[in-house]
């Protein structure tokens, strides 16, 4: 939070069929539909989130991610960061309030990896879903499927991970929590896991020739048992699986990967490393990438590296 | 919540899928996409990715036969290609016996 960026705010995901996508994110994963707009977009939240929504689904004839946004602490900070981006040589686009329902103005920019990011300061807060603001119960009854607790991070593939990492560190105040470097003397950064708080990552990048590719959006669960239960639900619904349940070396999370009905990868995970600003980045070398990604198998499946939307 | 229990009692019609230059084909039910049918038959003529029409790994050309398709990402199936039978195996459902040819994945 060094420069006032607080947390991931939302991600807009392109889907080929809206109804199928809503069944995936709501019936299977347990998000809650909060609203729709006149562009046909559907707004979803996970139950512990205080803002009105964190995932926006948009029907399109191409899968992938439109943009990911971070919430900053105030409108003043939004202005400051906008200027810092411009001074750094990054082109920004201003989106008016309510272009996304109940969201304040947003400042959009494109990272060297080709992904669109946004900063915003205001969004309607509806509070945690299904429990009272005062004297809250432990959790709400009536959650569906995996009952994910929050939208946690995205992993994105594109070129120039070192440049993108510098931008996020120097302009937006992210810390490099974990990283993958080449084992040679150049120690080139090819994987970058960036955080604005104590989480292991709020956004991550892996070096890839083609710009703007979406690897996954990830959602948090409390326990390993919840991850196993998610795996059962994936089988019960014949949802395409990628890999898991397993553990990541990087971030140390316990995880499972699967696909939405448009081929966008989803992750649910539990546990994992924490980060303080005085921590050295946790470092893995590219020759150990198998173990870094899939700690038990210790080999990368081709799909992890090349199946993107 | 939808699960698969309902599928047990209604056998969908099934069709024979021939693969060019392969000795063995596989059977595909009308309610199961071609890629998943191939996986269930333990075969690997076509690359398997997201199984949802998003990644472009499973491009094939259907040389013969009828099928129904769901929407396919225009990043991987270009205008004019469906007319030549170029499709994503994970988005089509056989409506007759088919002859298919695996294609290289698109990037
Ligand atoms: S497997 Fe990804 S498009 Fe078919
Ligand atoms: Fe992840």
């Amino acid at each position: 939070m060094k420069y006032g960026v607080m947390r991931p705010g939302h991600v807009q995901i392109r889907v080929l069929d809206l109804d199928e996508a809503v069944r995936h994110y709501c019936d299977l994963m347990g998000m809650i539909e909060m609203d729709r707009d006149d562009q046909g977009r559907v707004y979803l939240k996970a139950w512990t989130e205080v803002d009105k929504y964190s995932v926006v689904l948009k029907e399109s004839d191409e899968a992938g991610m439109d943009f990911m946004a971070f919430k900053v602490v105030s409108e003043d900070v939004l202005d400051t960061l906008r200027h810092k981006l411009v001074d750094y040589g990054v082109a920004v686009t201003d989106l008016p309030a309510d272009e996304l329902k109940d969201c304040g103005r947003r400042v959009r920019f494109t990272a060297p990896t080709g992904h669109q990011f946004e900063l915003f300061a205001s969004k309607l807060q509806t509070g945690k879903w299904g429990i009272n603001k005062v004297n809250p119960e432990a959790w709400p009854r009536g959650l569906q499927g995996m009952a994910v607790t929050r939208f946690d991070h995205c992993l994105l593939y594109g070129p120039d991970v070192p440049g993108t990492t510098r931008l996020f560190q120097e302009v937006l105040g992210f810390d490099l929590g974990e990283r993958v470097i080449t084992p040679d003397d150049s120690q080139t950064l090819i994987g970058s896991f960036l955080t604005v708080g104590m989480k292991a990552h709020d956004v991550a990048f892996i070096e890839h020739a083609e710009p703007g590719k979406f690897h996954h959006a990830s959602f948090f669960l409390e326990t390993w048992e919840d991850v196993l239960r998610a795996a059962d639900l994936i089988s019960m619904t014949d949802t395409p699986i990628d890999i898991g349940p397993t553990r990541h070396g990087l971030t140390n999370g316990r995880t499972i990967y699967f696909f939405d009905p448009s081929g966008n990868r989803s992750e649910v995970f539990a546990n994992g490393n924490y980060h303080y600003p005085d921590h050295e980045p946790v470092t893995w070398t590219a020759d150990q990438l198998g173990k870094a990604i899939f700690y038990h198998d210790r080999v990368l499946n081709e799909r992890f590296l090349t199946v993107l939307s | 919540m939808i699960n698969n229990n309902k599928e047990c009692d209604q056998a969908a019609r099934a069709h024979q899928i021939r693969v060019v230059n392969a000795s063995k084909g596989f059977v595909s039910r009308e309610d199961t996409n071609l890629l998943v049918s191939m996986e269930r038959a333990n075969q690997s003529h076509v690359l398997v990715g997201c199984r949802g029409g998003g990644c472009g790994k499973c491009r094939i050309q259907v040389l013969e036969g009828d099928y129904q398709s769901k929407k396919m990402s225009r990043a991987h199936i270009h205008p004019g290609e469906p007319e030549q039978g170029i499709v994503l195996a994970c988005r089509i459902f056989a409506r007759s016996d088919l002859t298919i040819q695996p294609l290289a994945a698109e990037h």
Side-chain angles (χ1 to χ4, degrees), chain A residues 153 155 201 216 218 248 257 267:
Chain A
H153 64 268
L155 173 58
H201 54 338
H216 67 262
S218 183
H248 288 308
Y257 287 124
E267 176 186 38

Side-chain angles (χ1 to χ4, degrees), chain A:
Chain A
M1 272 233 289
K2 248 181 263 179
Y3 303 150
V5 178
M6 211 165 24
R7 61 162 179 264
H10 52 252
V11 58
Q12 182 166 307
I13 299 172
R14 294 188 298 269
V15 298
L16 300 173
D17 182 303
L18 204 54
D19 295 338
E20 284 183 358
V22 169
R23 284 199 288 277
H24 177 86
Y25 291 95
C26 294
D27 296 359
L28 176 62
M29 297 185 67
M31 298 194 84
I32 299 118
E33 180 174 333
M34 296 297 290
D35 213 339
R36 296 195 178 215
D37 68 18
D38 48 20
Q39 294 183 41
R41 293 182 293 191
V42 182
Y43 296 71
L44 312 176
K45 80 181 285 171
W47 77 267
T48 70
E49 294 166 348
V50 294
D51 282 354
K52 181 174 169 182
Y53 54 87
S54 60
V55 170
V56 182
L57 302 175
K58 185 184 164 105
E59 192 161 275
S60 169
D61 46 18
E62 197 174 323
M65 182 187 87
D66 279 334
F67 50 80
M68 179 187 182
F70 296 96
K71 192 174 193 187
V72 307
V73 293
S74 69
E75 294 290 339
D76 285 348
V77 162
L78 186 56
D79 284 327
T80 308
L81 291 171
R82 185 186 183 285
H83 281 123
K84 282 182 77 176
L85 282 166
V86 172
D87 289 346
Y88 198 79
V90 179
V92 299
T93 311
D94 294 299
L95 291 130
D98 285 318
E99 194 279 329
L100 274 175
K101 263 195 173 176
D102 294 314
C103 185
R105 69 193 169 106
R106 290 130 65 207
V107 174
R108 185 180 288 176
F109 65 95
T110 304
T113 51
H115 300 94
Q116 295 202 89
F117 290 99
E118 299 180 350
L119 305 174
F120 70 98
S122 315
K123 190 186 281 176
L124 179 67
Q125 297 209 312
T126 54
K128 294 182 185 182
W129 184 85
I131 56 173
N132 293 332
K133 281 202 172 120
V134 178
N135 304 327
E137 302 299 348
W139 42 266
R141 282 168 292 175
L143 290 169
Q144 302 258 39
M146 299 174 188
V148 294
T149 64
R150 65 162 189 259
F151 164 51
D152 189 87
H153 64 268
C154 288
L155 173 58
L156 307 170
Y157 276 40
D160 195 9
V161 168
T164 299
T165 303
R166 269 197 306 279
L167 168 68
F168 273 74
Q169 288 180 293
E170 292 171 19
V171 182
L172 302 177
F174 281 69
D175 276 346
L176 185 58
E178 314 218 350
R179 63 178 179 166
V180 183
I181 56 175
T182 56
D184 55 37
D185 289 339
S186 75
Q187 303 208 335
T188 307
L189 187 66
I190 60 160
S192 166
F193 291 67
L194 293 150
T195 179
V196 286
M198 283 188 65
K199 287 164 55 197
H201 54 338
D202 290 309
V203 63
F205 298 98
I206 286 186
E207 187 74 30
H208 183 74
E210 198 183 346
K213 301 305 282 183
F214 182 49
H215 190 275
H216 67 262
S218 183
F219 300 84
F220 191 72
L221 294 174
E222 289 293 329
T223 67
W224 173 234
E225 199 61 33
D226 292 338
V227 176
L228 296 183
R229 194 171 164 279
D232 292 339
L233 287 161
I234 288 166
S235 283
M236 282 178 203
T237 53
D238 251 343
T239 300
I241 190 164
D242 187 10
I243 197 163
T246 183
R247 183 193 284 277
H248 288 308
L250 277 154
T251 75
N252 220 355
R254 299 153 205 209
T255 179
I256 186 163
Y257 287 124
F258 49 107
F259 292 98
D260 81 8
S262 308
N264 297 302
R265 194 186 272 94
S266 303
E267 176 186 38
V268 293
F269 80 107
N271 313 102
N273 291 333
Y274 63 87
H275 177 85
Y276 279 109
D278 66 340
H279 286 193
E280 284 285 308
V282 174
T283 300
W284 287 81
T285 53
D287 55 318
Q288 294 287 315
L289 198 59
K291 197 169 184 178
I293 307 279
F294 300 126
Y295 188 69
H296 300 140
D297 281 2
R298 283 165 279 145
V299 282
L300 269 183
N301 63 353
E302 171 73 8
R303 199 150 58 204
F304 187 88
L305 289 178
T306 63
V307 173
L308 306 166
S309 62

Side-chain angles (χ1 to χ4, degrees), chain B:
Chain B
M1 196 81 234
I2 301 150
N3 60 39
N4 282 331
N5 299 343
K6 64 178 179 347
E7 271 187 27
C8 304
D9 45 12
Q10 52 186 55
R13 290 184 58 196
H15 303 286
Q16 199 63 42
I17 314 300
R18 282 182 299 271
V19 184
V20 171
N21 291 331
S23 54
K24 242 175 121 187
F26 56 93
V27 168
S28 193
R29 288 162 51 123
E30 292 205 340
D31 62 356
T32 306
N33 73 58
L34 230 61
L35 191 70
V36 166
S37 301
M38 179 198 79
E39 286 188 282
R40 286 185 184 161
N42 250 320
Q43 296 187 22
S44 52
H45 315 284
V46 183
L47 293 176
V48 179
C50 66
R51 306 183 191 88
C55 75
K57 284 277 159 193
C58 66
R59 276 166 59 93
I60 58 168
Q61 185 164 18
V62 180
L63 303 175
E64 251 182 80
D66 302 324
Y67 54 89
Q68 270 189 359
S69 27
K70 287 171 75 174
K71 199 163 160 188
M72 292 178 262
S73 172
R74 63 144 190 248
H76 303 296
I77 295 296
H78 308 293
E81 288 187 334
E83 291 74 10
Q84 305 165 51
I86 296 177
V87 292
L88 298 170
C90 67
R91 302 297 275 180
I92 69 162
F93 300 80
R95 290 294 176 264
S96 74
D97 291 354
L98 302 179
T99 305
I100 66 165
Q101 164 133 48
L103 300 176
E106 270 264 306
H107 288 295

